[in-house]
Amino acid sequence: MLADPSVKYRPFPQVDLPDRQWPSRTITKPPIWLSTDMRDGNQSLIDPMNAEKKQRFFELLCKIGVKEIEVGFPSAGATEFDFISGLVKNGLIPDDVTVQVLTQARADLIGTTFESLRGAKAAIVHVYNAVSPAWRRIVFGMERSEVRDIAINAAKLLRDHAGAQPDTDWRFEYSPETFSTAELDFSLECCEAVMDILQPTPEKPLILNLPATVEAASPNIYADQIEWMCRNISRRDSVIISLHPHNDRGTGVAAAELGLMAGADRIEGCLFGNGERTGNCDIVTVGLNLYTQGIHPGLDFSDIDEVIQTVEYCNQLPVHPRHPYAGELVFTAFSGSHQDAIKKGFAAQEARNDQLWDVPYLPIDPADLGRNYEAVIRVNSQSGKGGVAWVLQQDKGLKLPKRMQADFSRVVQDMADQTSRELNAADIWDAFQSHYRLTDGQPVRLIDYQETGPAGDRIFVGKVAMNGEERSISGRGNGLISSILAALREELGVDLEVVDYSEHAIGAGTDVNAAAYVECKAADGRTIFGVGTDADVATASVQAVLSAANAVLVARQ
């Protein structure tokens, strides 16, 4: 890297728009969406999609509600041409979907393009030519007037070919390619020249695509460019301003959103942002950004995993695990403080009477995308007690008391440090059963018991297996817990004092189990926790006390 990059690179010039309006505007409705996955996205793949994959992708786009789909570049070769003409001839295009095809501004390519769509009910033909100074100077060796003439001649060919196939409802799109790095007045000049030929009307508007072919400036400058064009184009009511942001600077989504605020009507992009170089605008992210602001994007991502699976299969590219909204880990918290906030947020959400979503760290409800809550909190060495408790609650229905959460989290922390990996729900459950002595082979195990006597003077009579041998124990107290503590002290020499007790139903309904938790102080001053579960809450309480007693007996042995 250069010590002084200014000798090699220049800052992008500002747009002279002192009274710009877009910064104070709010997006209030979704744009028209055009998916270019099957054209721009396809040409970026190491192995382009075959006909079967293109068909599967097309069906996915129709299913999620995309109404305008750029299905290919028919003049690029037989594979593209045959697929597009096959869609038409086989009646595979839904009546509410319009296909779009792309062509360069050349007479032979435009002719092939129209031929691929012969018999279509409706179609958009998209023609482009590059207009920026670098292209005029380096690639074409042309003056501005010569480049403008390319656009004019292409527009005439569109008009004439459409006239030769009057049974199709033809629409047109023109792109001054490299718009983002071209002079605004020249882009406007080319667009006006095309409009003069095609004569758009409010009933049949021309799509003017203003692409950030190379994202060379911050997204606010792109928004300025779009607002300038919206203000200065004639017959604004007869054109649809379309955005095609690329992602060279990593701000393609921001450019699209600011471009909408600047007055654009349409966004062109790919699901998950696939496209050459660093990608196209990410339609999923823009759409769900709108959704989180209370605006339905008109696209259905209720089963985001199906969308991901189809796109990954067709593109042979993975969706990044931290990809906004869609990644495997975006609804996952490993950090203890994050886990605690999310856990409390879900509890508060459940207690509220309205549907307004307000959960820390989660801008969208995972359930809206077909995701469940089981993997929202996952446990590794960075996790805290809230995360561990969440996993147990989601997996086993156990709601550990706070002090017990802290006790068990230390066990999980040690295990995570030792294994140096993420711990799954099975790992945590195994550790829980082991630590609280719920596994087979414990010193004392309840076989049966009875509780008798008047209130305030209860007698516990139990049958237990003590190191494999059956024996009876009994004790007296003012309640069930105190009487079993007396039995343990008198019969087994286990001296415990219960300092906290809690219980809850596991799940909801009438046929559910109960969980009971005890926090005890042993004779040597140690704090010991016990847990028990059973269909009967009283039995669960007995099991919890025995869980704590086993800790004393194991230590003694």
Side-chain angles (χ1 to χ4, degrees):
M1 295 178 69
L2 300 174
D4 180 12
S6 67
V7 302
K8 189 173 183 179
Y9 303 100
R10 297 183 299 275
F12 200 90
Q14 297 285 325
V15 177
D16 184 17
L17 197 67
D19 60 340
R20 57 183 58 83
Q21 301 299 306
W22 65 261
S24 60
R25 292 177 182 159
T26 301
I27 301 172
T28 58
K29 63 180 182 179
I32 301 166
W33 301 102
L34 172 86
S35 163
T36 188
D37 288 274
M38 300 173 67
R39 199 279 303 170
D40 211 342
N42 189 46
Q43 74 180 25
S44 73
L45 302 177
I46 297 172
D47 297 312
M49 289 182 274
N50 58 23
E52 181 268 331
K53 288 181 177 178
K54 292 197 79 169
Q55 182 63 40
R56 185 176 295 198
F57 212 125
F58 181 76
E59 290 170 359
L60 171 70
L61 293 169
C62 294
K63 182 177 181 179
I64 65 175
V66 181
K67 300 304 182 186
E68 296 184 1
I69 303 173
E70 195 165 60
V71 290
F73 203 138
S75 61
T79 300
E80 290 282 278
F81 185 97
D82 291 345
F83 174 76
I84 294 164
S85 62
L87 286 177
V88 175
K89 292 174 182 177
N90 296 320
L92 299 176
I93 304 169
D95 290 341
D96 62 344
V97 171
T98 303
V99 294
Q100 175 172 305
V101 292
L102 182 71
T103 178
Q104 292 170 310
R106 280 174 41 189
D108 56 333
L109 304 184
I110 291 173
T112 300
T113 299
F114 273 88
E115 187 60 32
S116 73
L117 293 167
R118 183 171 294 277
K121 294 179 182 178
I124 302 169
V125 179
H126 177 191
V127 69
Y128 70 94
N129 67 304
V131 299
S132 66
W135 278 74
R136 297 196 308 262
R137 184 180 68 254
I138 299 169
V139 181
F140 299 142
M142 290 182 175
E143 299 298 323
R144 283 171 55 149
S145 60
E146 296 172 287
V147 170
R148 184 189 64 243
D149 286 344
I150 292 175
I152 291 172
N153 292 331
K156 291 178 179 177
L157 288 167
L158 296 186
R159 179 195 62 194
D160 295 344
H161 277 285
Q165 297 186 43
D167 292 338
T168 298
D169 179 13
W170 296 105
R171 294 171 54 201
F172 305 118
E173 176 171 345
Y174 171 66
S175 293
E177 195 197 9
T178 65
F179 164 82
S180 57
T181 52
E183 309 93 335
L184 284 171
D185 66 322
F186 185 54
S187 293
L188 178 64
E189 184 180 333
C190 291
C191 290
E192 292 284 0
V194 170
M195 291 170 66
D196 288 342
I197 302 300
L198 296 177
Q199 291 296 307
T201 65
E203 294 72 32
K204 200 159 188 174
L206 170 66
I207 302 168
L208 292 178
N209 178 37
L210 306 177
T213 308
V214 177
E215 189 178 39
S218 51
N220 61 296
I221 290 180
Y222 185 60
D224 281 349
Q225 294 172 326
I226 298 303
E227 183 170 333
W228 190 94
M229 287 291 289
C230 288
R231 288 191 191 186
N232 288 279
I233 196 79
S234 68
R235 292 171 282 182
R236 177 64 181 90
D237 62 349
S238 298
V239 296
I240 292 171
I241 299 297
S242 189
L243 308 177
H244 189 112
H246 279 247
N247 200 43
D248 302 86
R249 291 170 56 94
T251 56
V253 166
E257 293 179 333
L258 299 190
L260 288 180
M261 293 162 60
D265 310 295
R266 187 175 186 253
I267 289 180
E268 306 182 4
C270 295
L271 300 180
F272 309 118
N274 179 44
E276 275 194 310
R277 302 188 312 277
T278 56
N280 286 33
C281 177
D282 182 338
I283 288 179
V284 173
T285 298
V286 177
L288 291 177
N289 282 353
L290 291 175
Y291 184 80
T292 64
Q293 303 303 300
I295 302 168
H296 198 290
L299 302 175
D300 185 3
F301 297 121
S302 297
D303 189 351
I304 195 70
D305 288 333
E306 180 191 13
V307 178
I308 293 168
Q309 290 162 9
T310 302
V311 172
E312 288 185 333
Y313 168 75
C314 294
N315 287 346
Q316 293 297 293
L317 290 174
V319 172
H320 194 281
R322 293 292 183 187
H323 192 102
Y325 301 110
E328 179 187 359
L329 298 179
V330 295
F331 299 124
T332 299
F334 291 105
S335 161
S337 60
H338 290 199
Q339 293 172 339
D340 182 63
I342 291 171
K343 181 173 178 288
K344 291 175 179 175
F346 273 119
Q349 189 74 22
E350 188 175 345
R352 291 170 53 154
N353 293 323
D354 61 71
Q355 292 183 326
L356 188 66
W357 182 252
D358 188 19
V359 175
Y361 292 114
L362 295 180
I364 192 172
D365 185 348
D368 290 356
L369 305 181
R371 294 272 176 88
N372 58 37
Y373 300 133
E374 292 178 2
V376 170
I377 292 176
R378 288 161 60 175
V379 176
N380 63 11
S381 60
Q382 302 298 307
S383 304
K385 63 181 184 297
V388 175
W390 168 268
V391 172
L392 282 172
Q393 181 176 337
Q394 295 300 303
D395 192 50
K396 299 298 181 182
L398 300 180
K399 302 175 184 178
L400 306 190
K402 284 190 176 297
R403 287 172 57 80
M404 193 174 183
Q405 290 179 25
D407 178 70
F408 183 54
S409 71
R410 287 189 287 270
V411 175
V412 175
Q413 183 79 35
D414 289 344
M415 185 165 59
D417 286 337
Q418 291 170 13
T419 58
S420 298
R421 65 173 176 84
E422 180 190 351
L423 303 179
N424 59 35
D427 294 326
I428 293 170
W429 179 237
D430 288 345
F432 185 82
Q433 293 183 97
S434 175
H435 184 63
Y436 295 111
R437 300 152 300 275
L438 304 179
T439 56
D440 293 336
Q442 299 302 322
V444 63
R445 177 176 58 86
L446 181 67
I447 297 175
D448 195 9
Y449 79 95
Q450 288 184 336
E451 183 190 11
T452 61
D457 185 20
R458 306 296 287 170
I459 299 173
F460 172 86
V461 178
K463 185 183 296 184
V464 298
M466 182 71 179
N467 293 322
E469 295 184 9
E470 188 175 309
R471 60 180 293 182
S472 296
I473 61 174
S474 62
R476 184 187 297 269
N478 61 8
L480 176 61
I481 299 294
S482 61
S483 62
I484 189 175
L485 288 174
L488 292 172
R489 183 170 54 250
E490 296 164 8
E491 303 281 354
L492 304 183
V494 176
D495 191 2
L496 290 172
E497 175 189 353
V498 173
V499 297
D500 189 42
Y501 170 86
S502 62
E503 63 186 43
H504 66 80
I506 301 176
T510 57
D511 188 19
V512 296
N513 280 358
Y517 311 92
V518 291
E519 178 183 347
C520 301
K521 182 175 289 186
D524 59 4
R526 286 187 303 138
T527 296
I528 299 174
F529 293 90
V531 59
T533 61
D534 195 84
D536 175 64
V537 67
T539 304
S541 303
V542 175
Q543 297 281 22
V545 174
L546 290 180
S547 166
N550 275 320
V552 176
L553 293 170
V554 168
R556 182 183 299 170
Q557 291 175 353

